[in-house]
Amino acid sequence: MLWPMFAIVLGFLGVAVLAAAAVRVYAEVRRLSAEVALASRRITAASADLEREAAGLARAGGDVRP
């Protein structure tokens, strides 16, 4: 009778450890997705700035051509 109870306790502890690991993974995935979203917004803003400056540079270069 002792061994089946011991196996049940070990099984429960194993599931508890897996659940704790799943919660940690979930929290890290949420944090990573927030950082990726922030980086995406920054890249979008930087590309808009680059397009705006490139248009200005193209206009300035057009004035210089013979």
Side-chain angles (χ1 to χ4, degrees):
M1 187 69 173
L2 178 66
W3 289 109
M5 287 191 295
F6 185 65
I8 290 171
V9 168
L10 283 179
F12 176 76
L13 289 176
V15 169
V17 167
L18 288 175
V23 168
R24 288 187 64 188
V25 167
Y26 175 76
E28 289 298 315
V29 165
R30 295 273 307 206
R31 186 185 61 81
L32 179 62
S33 67
E35 287 184 20
V36 167
L38 177 63
S40 176
R41 285 192 297 271
R42 286 181 179 172
I43 289 171
T44 301
S47 68
D49 291 344
L50 183 61
E51 281 185 41
R52 193 171 39 253
E53 293 301 321
L57 184 60
R59 280 192 303 273
D63 295 340
V64 175
R65 287 189 192 167

